[in-house]
Amino acid sequence: MNVKESTPNADLYVWTEQNCPICGSAPDKFVGTRGGESHREGIGVECEVWRCSNCYLIFPNPMPFPKDGLGQHYDVDADEYFKEHDATGRFDGAKQLLEKAEKILGHKGRLLDIGVGRGELLLAAKELEWDAEGVEPSTTFADHAEKRTGLKIWREAIEDSSVPDSSYDAIILAAVLEHLYDPDEIIRRVAQALKPGGILFLDVPNEAGLYFRIGNVYQKFRGRNWCVNLAPTFSPYHVFGLCFKWRTCQFTIVRF
């Protein structure tokens, strides 16, 4: 499980072998290589992707931690990073989500959006009269969302943030957890920040979806040990993924 010493730009990362952060087991199923020489466009740095057979979490091993922190990946123009995203669709989806959250809670309240991106969810929350704020470690994303919404943005990673404990009726963690390097600590911090009876919305991609299954079969057909799962060293920088049986994306609302 070693990165090739000759791999271009490998020195941009600290490579750390790790066990599964969910169950503690060593990953035992090799999924394939990803990035660099193992990408059709040669982008990113080549790494190995493994799966834990106990809980079906997949992640690169060793894990490439960016030497300069999250800003190495995300201090880029927000519109450029999210250029493939449908802003109108995300805004409409955010309104539907918040209406569902209000129905579950029985009221509107204080809301925290973790990973604000371009601020679509915060805009929807503001329009629907939630008391909303966000957490965003990317300076450029935070600047963009704050200017667009006028709402408070905590400019730090959630696991290191000073957001108050037991303060939020709803926390949104949408398409974010797969980007972060310590999912167990993130969920612990989220639980700490929620009020008793508060709700968490969480969604993550399904790394066993049809796209991934077909893509990996195609790579094997070509005689390659490449995979199409995750993107640890190139945009969108997904470093963890779960394998659900059918859906392309898994979401849930949890009440604490």
Side-chain angles (χ1 to χ4, degrees):
M1 291 190 217
N2 293 317
V3 179
K4 299 174 185 176
E5 293 182 2
S6 60
T7 300
N9 298 320
D11 59 353
L12 295 174
Y13 295 88
V14 176
W15 300 84
T16 305
E17 294 201 18
Q18 66 175 62
N19 292 335
C20 174
I22 294 178
C23 69
S25 299
D28 55 354
K29 173 65 175 177
F30 178 65
V31 179
T33 54
R34 184 76 162 136
E37 295 179 1
S38 298
H39 191 286
R40 58 189 172 83
E41 297 179 10
I43 59 176
V45 180
E46 186 178 78
C47 57
E48 296 184 357
V49 176
W50 289 75
R51 189 183 77 207
C52 171
S53 292
N54 288 331
C55 59
Y56 291 92
L57 186 72
I58 68 170
F59 53 95
N61 197 31
M63 175 68 77
F65 292 92
K67 280 187 176 178
D68 294 331
L70 291 176
Q72 181 175 313
H73 289 168
Y74 301 108
D75 281 345
V76 296
D77 180 76
D79 285 329
E80 176 63 23
Y81 180 86
F82 295 106
K83 63 184 178 182
E84 303 298 333
H85 291 206
D86 176 6
T88 301
R90 290 178 71 86
F91 178 77
D92 292 342
K95 289 181 69 174
Q96 293 173 15
L97 169 62
L98 293 171
E99 288 165 357
K100 183 179 293 187
E102 182 181 356
K103 185 176 180 180
I104 294 171
L105 284 168
H107 59 85
K108 296 171 185 174
R110 194 174 184 190
L111 178 142
L112 183 68
D113 183 24
I114 299 176
V116 301
R118 289 184 297 189
E120 288 93 350
L121 188 133
L122 289 179
L123 274 178
K126 186 176 182 179
E127 182 175 304
L128 294 175
E129 299 182 334
W130 285 76
D131 178 13
E133 53 198 63
V135 172
E136 179 53 69
S138 165
T139 301
T140 51
F141 295 0
D143 287 345
H144 185 99
E146 189 172 72
K147 182 178 180 180
R148 190 178 182 192
T149 67
L151 298 175
K152 177 178 177 58
I153 310 293
W154 299 82
R155 295 163 178 263
E156 51 200 357
I158 181 60
E159 61 268 36
D160 302 319
S161 74
S162 48
V163 299
D165 295 346
S166 304
S167 297
Y168 298 95
D169 298 284
I171 294 180
I172 311 298
L173 194 60
V176 169
L177 194 61
E178 64 270 19
H179 296 263
L180 304 177
Y181 293 86
D182 191 350
D184 190 53
E185 176 61 20
I186 277 88
I187 297 301
R188 186 201 66 79
R189 187 68 184 89
V190 165
Q192 189 177 31
L194 275 170
K195 292 179 180 178
I199 60 174
L200 165 66
F201 172 85
L202 169 67
D203 77 347
V204 293
N206 178 11
E207 296 291 332
L210 187 61
Y211 166 81
F212 299 104
R213 284 183 282 155
I214 291 176
N216 289 345
V217 168
Y218 172 75
Q219 298 301 342
K220 287 182 174 60
F221 178 77
R222 294 289 303 270
R224 299 165 172 165
N225 67 346
W226 302 4
C227 67
V228 298
N229 298 94
L230 306 183
T233 59
F234 58 91
S235 184
Y237 302 107
H238 291 183
V239 295
F240 283 106
L242 279 169
C243 295
F244 303 98
K245 190 169 183 181
W246 297 115
R247 297 179 181 176
T248 57
C249 184
Q250 182 74 20
F251 70 90
T252 189
I253 296 178
V254 180
R255 192 157 198 171
F256 282 71

